[in-house]
Amino acid sequence: MAMKRDASKLGRVDVEPEVRERRGERVLISISIQVRGLREDNTKVDEGAEAIVVSRFGALLRMGSLLKMGSALTATNSLSKEEEVFRVAWIGERRPDGRWDIGVEAANPREDFWGIRFPAQKRKI
């Protein structure tokens, strides 16, 4: 059963968003990660999650806990054991399987965190 959330508390808006160009390419993938951060109720979380879409600048995570909007989290790539700090930028509705889709933005984007090579960035003139 989908749980209705107050969109203003979660940083979502119910109106048509302004269309804007993405900063970089996105890649559909499945990468196992460990997430440490804060739940919506300010309790600590340390759980396994999955990055399902990644870019140089962030990712879409799928996980069991609802994270606190705007909070910092540390993600550890399960393969490389490297860590990256992110900020919770978007929270989707609860999925039928009970998990949440969480959009995160990298605090200091690194080219190599996800273990893939992204296409060269287009320069604006």
Side-chain angles (χ1 to χ4, degrees):
M1 172 200 300
M3 191 163 114
K4 288 286 184 191
R5 314 273 317 152
D6 181 351
S8 64
K9 287 183 181 178
L10 296 175
R12 290 179 287 157
V13 289
D14 293 328
V15 296
E16 228 11 74
E18 179 182 314
V19 175
R20 62 181 182 151
E21 192 173 317
R22 298 272 181 208
R23 290 189 287 175
E25 297 293 323
R26 292 177 169 200
V27 178
L28 299 175
I29 199 163
S30 177
I31 299 175
S32 177
I33 59 173
Q34 189 69 23
V35 173
R36 291 183 314 283
L38 288 177
R39 289 184 182 95
E40 184 182 42
D41 64 3
N42 286 322
T43 59
K44 291 182 180 181
V45 64
D46 186 350
E47 74 177 60
E50 177 185 17
I52 59 172
V53 179
V54 299
S55 78
R56 281 185 178 89
F57 305 103
L60 179 62
L61 310 181
R62 188 158 289 158
M63 58 188 299
S65 294
L66 174 58
L67 299 182
K68 183 174 184 177
M69 184 66 187
S71 66
L73 64 91
T74 301
T76 304
N77 183 317
S78 296
L79 292 174
S80 68
K81 305 301 183 209
E82 294 202 33
E83 292 186 348
E84 179 74 70
V85 176
F86 293 88
R87 178 187 68 83
V88 177
W90 178 83
I91 299 171
E93 292 292 324
R94 189 172 203 167
R95 298 173 42 81
D97 64 5
R99 298 187 298 167
W100 296 90
D101 284 345
I102 311 281
V104 296
E105 178 178 45
N108 296 300
R110 290 194 347 242
E111 186 73 26
D112 59 348
F113 178 71
W114 299 113
I116 59 176
R117 185 178 307 247
F118 292 97
Q121 283 187 280
K122 296 177 185 173
R123 300 183 87 187
K124 294 199 177 197
I125 300 175

